[in-house]
C-alpha cells in the first residue's frame, strides 16, 4: 500500500499525466475541427464533397491508430513535415478521431425533426441562421453523451503514443516498472490516474447534460422541494361569495350576427377586388408524387384583401399547394407568383439557391402555419413568437 501511494504521488508519473492530457486535447481539438468539416461535406448537396468525406472516414476508421501514429512520425518527414513526437501524436489522434466525431455530428443534425427545419425555412431563415438558431441547439443536446464517450476513448487511445516515444503516462509507467520490477504497484497507480482523468471527463459530460436539459427545474425550485416547510405555505383565503343574484351575473345578451351576405354586397365586393393586384397567382400548376397526380393544370388567383378557404378531404392537396406557394415544395410544371414575383427564381429564370430563396421569402413576407404547429421546442413561448420577428 505504501508503494502504491508513493507511486501515486511521484512527480515522474504526474508529469506523464500532463503529457497525456496534452495529447488528448490536441487529438480532440483537431478531431473536432476536422470532424465539423467532414460532417459538412457529407451533408453537402455536392456529391463530390460528400464522396471525399466518406472516403476519408473509410480510410481512417479502417486502419489502426498505431499505424497512423507511425506514419505521422516516420513517413511525414519524407515529404518535408518533421514533427515532434508530441505533435505527431496529436495529429494522428486528431485524424483518427475526426471521422468518429463527424458521424456523431451528422447523426445529431439528421436527428432534428424535419418539421423544425421546414418551419425555419418558412420563416425565411437562411441556411446559416437555420443551423445556428434551430438545428444546432437541438442537435447538441443529443450529441453530448456520444461526444463524452468519444472524449474518454481519445484519452485511452493516447496511451498508444508511447510507440513513438511520447513521454505520456503509459510509457513512463513502463519505464519505471522496467527499472524497479514493481509492476503491480506502478500499473495500479497508473490505472487509478487514468480512472481519475476519465471521471473528470464524465463529470464534464454530466454538467453539460444538466445545463442543456430544458425540462430540468431551476436550482432554486429544486432546493425549495427539500425544505420541510415548503408544503406549509400560506394559502390565500377563499374569496367571499358574491351577493349578486345569478341573473345579475350573466353577461348582457348580444344580438345574433347575420351569416348571410346579399347578392348585391357580394357583387360589389367582387367588383372592388377585381381592380386589385393579385397577391398570389398560380398558373397551370402540375405536381405528382411518383404515379400519384396531385395537381394537373391548377389555376388559382388570390387578390390583395381577399380571403380564400381551401376545403377538401385529407390528401386532396391543400397542404401541398400551400407548400408550393411558400416554395417549400417543388413542382413539375407551371408558375407561382407571390406579390408579383416568381418565388424561387431570379429575373433570368434561374432557380435560386437556399440562401437567396430564404431572403426572398422574408422580403415578400410569405409564410404558413403548419398543421402540426412545428413550434421550436428549445425556445420558450415568448421566444417562439418574438424570435422570428427579430430574425
Amino acid at each position: 500500500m505504501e508503494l502504491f501511494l508513493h507511486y501515486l504521488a511521484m512527480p515522474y508519473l504526474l508529469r506523464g499525466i500532463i503529457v497525456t492530457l496534452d495529447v488528448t486535447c490536441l487529438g480532440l481539438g483537431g478531431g473536432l475541427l476536422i470532424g465539423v468539416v467532414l460532417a459538412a461535406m457529407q451533408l453537402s448537396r455536392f456529391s463530390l464533397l460528400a464522396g471525399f468525406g466518406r472516403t476519408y472516414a473509410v480510410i481512417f476508421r479502417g486502419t489502426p491508430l498505431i499505424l497512423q501514429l507511425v506514419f505521422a512520425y516516420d513517413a511525414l518527414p519524407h515529404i518535408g513535415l518533421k514533427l515532434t513526437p508530441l505533435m505527431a501524436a496529436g495529429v494522428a489522434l486528431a485524424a483518427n478521431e475526426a471521422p468518429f466525431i463527424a458521424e456523431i455530428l451528422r447523426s445529431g443534425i439528421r436527428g432534428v425533426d424535419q418539421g423544425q427545419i421546414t418551419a425555419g425555412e418558412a420563416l425565411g431563415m437562411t441556411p446559416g441562421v437555420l443551423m445556428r438558431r434551430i438545428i444546432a441547439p437541438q442537435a447538441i443536446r443529443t450529441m453530448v453523451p456520444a461526444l463524452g464517450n468519444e472524449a474518454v476513448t481519445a484519452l485511452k487511445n493516447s496511451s498508444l503514443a508511447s510507440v513513438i516515444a511520447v513521454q505520456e503516462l503509459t510509457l513512463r509507467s513502463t519505464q519505471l516498472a522496467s527499472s524497479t520490477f514493481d509492476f503491480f504497484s506502478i500499473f495500479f497507480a497508473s490505472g487509478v490516474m487514468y480512472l481519475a482523468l476519465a471521471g473528470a471527463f464524465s463529470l464534464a459530460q454530466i454538467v453539460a447534460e444538466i445545463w442543456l436539459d430544458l425540462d430540468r427545474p431551476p436550482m432554486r425550485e429544486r432546493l425549495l422541494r427539500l425544505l420541510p416547510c415548503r408544503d406549509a405555505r400560506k394559502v390565500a383565503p377563499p374569496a367571499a361569495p358574491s351577493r349578486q343574484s345569478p341573473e345579475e351575473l350573466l353577461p348582457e345578451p348580444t344580438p345574433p350576427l347575420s351569416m348571410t351576405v346579399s347578392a348585391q354586397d357580394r357583387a360589389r365586393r367582387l367588383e372592388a377586388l377585381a381592380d386589385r393586384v393579385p397577391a398570389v397567382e398560380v398558373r397551370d400548376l402540375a405536381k405528382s408524387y411518383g404515379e400519384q397526380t396531385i395537381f394537373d393544370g391548377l389555376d388559382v388567383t388570390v387578390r390583395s384583401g381577399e380571403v380564400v378557404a381551401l376545403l377538401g378531404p385529407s390528401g386532396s392537396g391543400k397542404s401541398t399547394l400551400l407548400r408550393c406557394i411558400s416554395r417549400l415544395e417543388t413542382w413539375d410544371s407551371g408558375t407561382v407568383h407571390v406579390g408579383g414575383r416568381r418565388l424561387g427564381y431570379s429575373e433570368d429564370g434561374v432557380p435560386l439557391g437556399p440562401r437567396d430563396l430564404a431572403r426572398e421569402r422574408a422580403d415578400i413576407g410569405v409564410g404558413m402555419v403548419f398543421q402540426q404547429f412545428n413550434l421550436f421546442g428549445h425556445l420558450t413561448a415568448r421566444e417562439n413568437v418574438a424570435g422570428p420577428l427579430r430574425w
Side-chain angles (χ1 to χ4, degrees), residues 51-106:
F52 178 84
R54 293 188 182 278
T55 302
Y56 180 98
V58 169
I59 293 174
F60 281 87
R61 285 194 300 181
T63 54
L65 176 59
I66 192 169
L67 295 181
Q68 298 167 16
L69 287 164
V70 173
F71 179 86
Y73 186 64
D74 292 332
L76 290 183
H78 293 288
I79 60 174
L81 294 176
K82 179 64 176 177
L83 301 176
T84 63
L86 179 62
M87 289 303 300
V91 169
L93 187 59
N96 182 267
E97 289 292 326
F100 296 98
I101 294 177
E103 291 302 296
I104 294 173
L105 299 177
R106 193 166 66 92

Side-chain angles (χ1 to χ4, degrees), residues 6 58 60 91 99 115 202 206 221 275 286 299 303 305 349 390:
H6 169 70
V58 169
F60 281 87
V91 169
S202 299
I206 294 173
E221 183 175 341
D275 296 332
D299 293 330
R303 300 187 179 277
R390 284 201 314 271

Side-chain angles (χ1 to χ4, degrees), residues 285 289 294-295 298 300 309-326 329 368-369 371:
L285 191 67
Y289 292 110
I294 309 300
F295 311 130
L298 177 67
V300 176
L310 298 175
L311 304 179
S314 178
S316 60
K318 304 182 300 295
S319 298
T320 301
L321 176 58
L322 294 179
R323 290 172 64 88
C324 289
I325 294 173
S326 300
E329 193 80 47
M368 64 183 293
V369 177
Q371 186 174 356

Side-chain angles (χ1 to χ4, degrees), residues 3 19 36 54 88 163 230 233-234 252 269 286 294 348 354 367 375 390:
L3 285 176
V19 178
V36 169
R54 293 188 182 278
V163 300
R230 174 177 170 81
R233 292 180 177 179
K234 293 182 179 180
E252 291 290 335
R269 177 159 178 79
I294 309 300
D348 301 332
L375 294 174
R390 284 201 314 271

Side-chain angles (χ1 to χ4, degrees), residues 245-256:
S245 64
E247 291 78 7
E248 294 176 337
L249 295 176
L250 293 176
E252 291 290 335
T254 56

Side-chain angles (χ1 to χ4, degrees), residues 23-39:
V23 174
T24 303
C25 292
L26 286 173
L28 286 177
L32 183 60
L33 292 177
I34 303 174
V36 169
V37 176
L38 290 177

Side-chain angles (χ1 to χ4, degrees), residues 363-384:
D363 291 341
I364 295 176
V366 62
M368 64 183 293
V369 177
F370 297 90
Q371 186 174 356
Q372 294 83 9
F373 301 119
N374 286 337
L375 294 174
F376 302 128
H378 64 292
L379 302 179
T380 63
R382 175 187 294 178
E383 290 167 341
N384 267 279

